[in-house]
Amino acid sequence: MVNWTGVSGTQALQGSVDAVSSLQADGLWSYATSNAAAQGNALTVGATANVDMDVEQSAASGSRVSGLSALRIGTYAGHTVQGASATANAAQVSGSGAHDLQLRQSAEGDVNAGTTLDAADAEIETFAQGAQAAGNSLTAGGYEGNPIADLDQSQTGTVEAETTATVRNADFGGVSASSAAGNTVTIANDYGYAHAQGTQTNSGSVRATTTLNIGDFGNGIVAGSANAVGNSGLVSNIGADAYTGLNQNNSGPVTAQVNFTGGIGGSGVGGAGASLSASAMGNAQSAYICSECPVSLNANITQTNSGPVTAGVNASHSGSIGALTGSATAVGNAATFSSRPPE
């Protein structure tokens, strides 16, 4: 007997999908958590059998997918945790067996993920926030599976991820991270052949922005990051052969920006310091295999970038601070292929 699962069809979004989590408190002695997740079209397949998939997902021009987490603290909170995600088209396939994946994704609308923390007059022991936005996304893999993905991803709309934190006193520091991608495919597999091929095209705007306004953080570190990429491909395979062969073309603007202002509204004590980083790439493709296994990795890729790629960090502190570091990296095309020890 042969176990087999067939998945075929279309998903089309023409309207709006909005997820909002908005919380407000004056004094809060424990945790405040706020999360929002929005997906225009979502497909999830889990199978311990062979899978034959042929699916098309589309988000039309004028459509909107947004996830927003908003948190306001009046005087005090022990810890705050926020997350927001938004994806126009998302497909996820996991399990074991032979997985033949034919996927076509097109995103023409607006995608926005954002987190805001308003604690301009408050003390917060620690804070953590993150926002992730993507036009098209495929995630595949599993254990003893054989995922073979042939995809066509096209993003012509706008993709934005933004995090903002305003805190008078972040006692033990905090972290804020934004991430935006036009098209992304990730295959993470163990002990089975992994294969990715096809085309990723981004001509829309992709932007990740992180803004931090922190008065004091006398006992900790504040970290902020922003990562933006037009097209991204990753194949990670342990215990078997792997192949990656994506044709990536980015012509849209890709921007990553981190803004930090410290010392205003508080006593100006900056603690151990602030670490800030921004990374922007037109096309990124990487693959990894096990360094201690009798396996091989083959790659046949094409990367073309004609869009502006910009990364920036702006930082200022009006008081005393232990250290202030900033790193900005902008790359048109990046490709990394390597082996690593099994975990």
Side-chain angles (χ1 to χ4, degrees):
M1 176 179 288
V2 176
N3 294 322
W4 177 83
T5 300
V7 180
S8 63
T10 63
Q11 293 180 314
L13 174 69
Q14 297 179 338
S16 61
V17 178
D18 301 303
V20 178
S21 174
S22 180
L23 304 179
Q24 180 175 334
D26 185 21
L28 186 66
W29 296 105
S30 184
Y31 281 87
T33 61
S34 174
N35 296 287
Q39 294 179 321
N41 297 305
L43 172 68
T44 302
V45 179
T48 56
N50 296 339
V51 174
D52 187 0
M53 186 181 87
D54 188 348
V55 171
E56 179 174 351
Q57 296 176 315
S58 64
S61 177
S63 64
R64 182 184 74 240
V65 179
S66 67
L68 174 63
S69 166
L71 180 59
R72 183 176 182 181
I73 302 298
T75 59
Y76 176 85
H79 310 279
T80 64
V81 180
Q82 293 176 270
S85 64
T87 307
N89 299 304
Q92 180 177 353
V93 182
S94 62
S96 60
H99 295 175
D100 184 6
L101 312 177
Q102 305 286 325
L103 180 65
R104 297 168 300 283
Q105 295 175 315
S106 64
E108 302 177 5
D110 297 328
V111 180
N112 179 269
T115 62
T116 60
L117 172 59
D118 181 2
D121 300 315
E123 175 187 1
I124 298 178
E125 301 294 339
T126 63
F127 71 89
Q129 58 179 184
Q132 295 181 322
N136 299 304
S137 172
L138 168 63
T139 303
Y143 185 83
E144 295 183 345
N146 296 278
I148 299 177
D150 188 353
L151 66 150
D152 183 355
Q153 294 178 322
S154 173
Q155 202 287 126
T156 61
T158 62
V159 179
E160 296 183 351
E162 183 175 4
T163 60
T164 302
T166 301
V167 185
R168 180 183 61 80
N169 183 7
D171 196 3
F172 291 93
V175 59
S176 181
S178 60
S179 176
N183 300 300
T184 177
V185 54
T186 301
I187 296 180
N189 198 59
D190 290 336
Y191 301 103
Y193 178 66
H195 181 113
Q197 69 180 44
T199 301
Q200 293 178 315
T201 304
N202 178 72
S203 60
S205 174
V206 178
R207 184 179 183 90
T209 306
T210 295
T211 302
L212 294 164
N213 302 300
I214 312 297
D216 299 331
F217 46 103
N219 297 306
I221 296 175
V222 169
S225 65
N227 296 281
V229 60
N231 300 300
S232 174
L234 168 64
V235 175
S236 176
N237 204 37
I238 301 299
D241 297 340
Y243 174 85
T244 181
L246 294 175
N247 181 353
Q248 297 176 318
N249 190 321
N250 178 70
S251 59
V254 178
T255 306
Q257 182 67 44
V258 176
N259 304 308
F260 170 80
T261 302
I264 297 177
S267 61
V269 179
S275 176
L276 313 168
S277 64
S279 172
M281 297 185 181
N283 299 300
Q285 193 164 169
S286 56
Y288 304 92
I289 57 173
C290 169
S291 62
E292 301 177 9
C293 306
V295 298
S296 64
L297 167 65
N298 292 307
N300 183 11
I301 71 170
T302 301
Q303 294 178 312
T304 304
N305 182 75
S306 59
V309 179
T310 307
V313 173
N314 292 323
S316 65
H317 193 280
S318 61
S320 61
I321 188 171
L324 184 60
T325 64
S327 172
T329 303
V331 180
N333 299 303
T336 302
F337 308 108
S338 66
S339 61
R340 66 182 185 186
E343 297 179 355

